[in-house]
Amino acid sequence: VAPIRTQVAIVGAGPAGLVLAHLLHLRGIESVVLEARSRGYLEQRVRAGVLEAPTVQLLCDAGVGERLQRESLRHRGISLRFDRTDHHLDFVALTGRSITVYGQQEVVKDLIAARLAAGLPLHFEVADVRLRGIETDEPEVAFTDGDGVHRILAAPVIAGCDGFHGVCRPQIPAGRLTVFERDYPFAWLGILAKAAPAQEEVTYAHSDRGFALASMRTAEMARLYLQVPPDEPLEDWPDGRIWDELNARLAVEGSAPLNVGPILERGVTTMRSFVVEPMRHGQLFLAGDAAHIVPPTGAKGMNLAVADVAVLAEAVERFFATGDSALLDGYSVRCLRRVWRAEHFSWWMTSMLHLAPGADAFERRLQLSQLRYVTSSEAAATSLAENYVGLPYGS
Ligand code: RFL
Ligand code: PHB
């Protein structure tokens, strides 16, 4: 079969790959997106839920924010619970900006719909993705399409948007990337339940039983998390135990218990901090989780993926318009500034809120002191708030 020729080959149709494809289309640049999973799988995969202000702005400016504007929940801030007391942080008062609750799979649905409606190429259920010649000017992506046909995609620029477990990053020769990594001695057990959220805003709880988080997707759908040991078997957590533990950890003086409902989805997520430098090798540009992972405590992962491809789209546009690769050459350095800010914020939120195995009273006192500080000092609260709502692009 003759090779498919395009300007940008995009591996992965998560938030990074789909937003990139859309931004390129708006700039008149052709791309082909290759995705290992089916459309149905992507649209059901429950993941992130909190969008930063700059992410919302970008999606709306790009013309894919219509349903988001209509159906998302706009929140003024978050709550931090400790010492069995609720402490509200009002981000709008502190920074003038709010956060938006809208499921990642809803963002993905909107972007897939926009791409297919425009008749643009998006191949689901591809396999055997292999990169060739990424150190040359004529790189290629070999793959097997959903019908089992072997194909070649030839494109001057390849975007590795295939997530942490993808195939692009491992094809960069050993020794060309520096890896920075931290594992955490705990995981999150997450559930999606058909139950009205008991809290008005996203609520993070520090407790002697471990961390818990109460979030939501809609007025009828709660998204809840419990800190558990790494590799915790789900079988050890029948529904009753999950609800009891959430109630025990989230309880504050005088609070009503959570609304209980059927659990529609459940899973255990490992926690990791991970960055590769540079986010590029030859003509391969890594974006999103393919290049960096944050623990979910700061709600930064999806937002970082979108921020990366905003930079990449601009650089690619310049390259194809003028042949000038200065912005492509600066891609990694520019992204990594934001990445490391989010890495720090996510690590800090994680360390402040979780119960590390073997933590002694000294560490617990430090956590409580920090929690009291960020909920009582306007300067400290503003620092948390500006990171959480998302620092402006380019800062
Ligand atoms: P994704 O979403 O993993 O997409 C990568 C895509 O690449 C495909 N793929 C391949 N395609 C072709 N060939 C291959 N060989 C391929 N290998 C993989 C995959 O099928 C997939 O479709 O990466 P992307 O686009 O970089 O987006 C990153 C985000 O998904 C991630 O950072 C967030 O979900 C992280 N995250 C959160 N981020 C937030 O901003 N706010 C949150 O509130 C938040 N909460 C979370 C989270 C992640 C969680 N989990 C489950 C990891 C909560 C959880 C529980
Ligand atoms: C979510 O709603 O899934 C969520 C909210 C806040 C986080 C992580 C996940 O920090």
Side-chain angles (χ1 to χ4, degrees):
V1 206
I4 309 166
R5 295 196 177 277
T6 191
Q7 290 175 292
V8 183
I10 301 176
V11 184
L18 289 168
V19 172
L20 177 62
H22 187 74
L23 295 178
L24 292 177
H25 171 59
L26 295 178
R27 290 166 163 81
I29 293 164
E30 283 178 14
S31 66
V32 173
V33 184
L34 305 178
E35 166 59 49
R37 303 285 190 161
S38 68
R39 180 179 184 182
Y41 182 90
L42 296 192
E43 294 187 344
Q44 294 308 314
R45 182 164 61 189
V46 181
R47 286 181 131 190
V50 179
L51 304 184
E52 292 179 345
T55 304
V56 171
Q57 186 72 47
L58 178 140
L59 293 172
C60 292
D61 290 349
V64 284
E66 196 234 331
R67 195 166 65 96
L68 186 159
Q69 296 279 29
R70 215 170 351 109
E71 297 181 12
S72 66
L73 306 171
R74 196 56 68 89
H75 286 184
R76 287 187 68 94
I78 60 168
S79 272
L80 296 176
R81 289 186 170 183
F82 56 94
D83 278 344
R84 302 185 80 74
T85 312
D86 190 82
H87 302 263
H88 186 248
L89 288 178
D90 185 337
F91 294 162
V92 175
L94 292 163
T95 69
R97 310 176 96 186
S98 54
I99 53 166
T100 300
V101 174
Y102 190 63
Q104 176 169 326
Q105 76 269 40
E106 306 305 324
V107 175
V108 163
K109 267 183 213 166
D110 296 343
L111 288 160
I112 291 175
R115 184 147 185 98
L116 297 181
L120 298 170
L122 166 51
H123 299 265
F124 294 106
E125 299 181 76
V126 308
D128 314 321
V129 169
R130 290 197 48 79
L131 310 182
R132 297 182 192 154
I134 48 175
E135 289 158 0
T136 72
D137 291 340
E138 295 184 337
E140 292 177 344
V141 185
F143 68 101
T144 306
D145 71 15
D147 298 322
V149 179
H150 298 295
R151 313 204 62 145
I152 304 290
L153 178 58
V157 173
I158 299 175
C161 302
D162 51 348
F164 183 66
H165 299 287
V167 293
C168 291
R169 191 184 66 246
Q171 291 183 50
I172 297 174
R176 301 308 295 269
L177 295 180
T178 307
V179 174
F180 302 85
E181 201 166 7
R182 277 280 181 286
D183 282 330
Y184 298 86
F186 34 77
W188 281 14
L189 189 164
I191 64 165
L192 183 71
K194 193 164 173 6
Q199 289 76 23
E200 275 173 31
E201 297 189 331
V202 177
T203 300
Y204 294 81
H206 175 277
S207 113
D208 288 337
R209 307 174 66 97
F211 169 74
L213 168 60
S215 181
M216 66 286 292
R217 286 296 175 270
T218 65
E220 297 88 39
M221 207 67 86
R223 178 77 169 142
L224 300 148
Y225 299 94
L226 285 170
Q227 174 190 345
V228 294
D231 305 316
E232 182 80 338
L234 273 175
E235 307 83 78
D236 290 359
W237 288 87
D239 293 15
R241 183 177 178 206
I242 294 176
W243 291 111
D244 288 349
E245 196 59 34
L246 284 165
N247 274 316
R249 295 186 191 182
L250 283 158
V252 290
E253 258 2 292
S255 68
L258 296 168
N259 302 309
V260 171
I263 297 179
L264 307 179
E265 201 269 350
R266 67 188 79 208
V268 173
T269 308
T270 55
M271 310 265 285
R272 182 184 285 117
S273 298
F274 175 94
V275 181
V276 291
E277 293 187 8
M279 291 168 53
R280 173 211 190 151
H281 180 71
Q283 291 303 98
L284 170 64
F285 295 83
L286 299 174
D289 279 14
H292 40 73
I293 294 287
V294 287
T297 326
K300 286 285 163 247
M302 169 170 47
N303 295 294
L304 273 185
V306 172
D308 285 351
V309 299
V311 175
L312 187 54
E314 194 188 324
V316 166
E317 178 183 31
R318 170 82 68 89
F319 174 70
F320 283 112
T322 65
D324 171 8
S325 61
L327 291 185
L328 281 178
D329 294 339
Y331 166 73
S332 177
V333 167
R334 200 167 150 202
C335 288
L336 284 166
R337 283 178 67 94
R338 188 178 193 84
V339 168
W340 278 110
R341 180 87 298 280
E343 290 288 342
H344 179 269
F345 180 67
S346 305
W347 163 84
W348 173 71
M349 288 282 283
T350 302
S351 323
M352 177 168 71
L353 287 160
H354 289 73
L355 174 60
D360 61 10
F362 179 83
E363 282 172 51
R364 298 297 275 174
R365 289 287 192 288
L366 290 182
Q367 289 181 319
L368 287 169
S369 169
Q370 187 66 14
L371 283 162
R372 271 184 221 112
Y373 182 49
V374 294
T375 51
S376 58
S377 150
E378 190 173 326
T382 305
S383 169
L384 188 156
E386 71 170 353
N387 279 278
Y388 201 106
V389 300
L391 291 159
Y393 285 168
S395 64

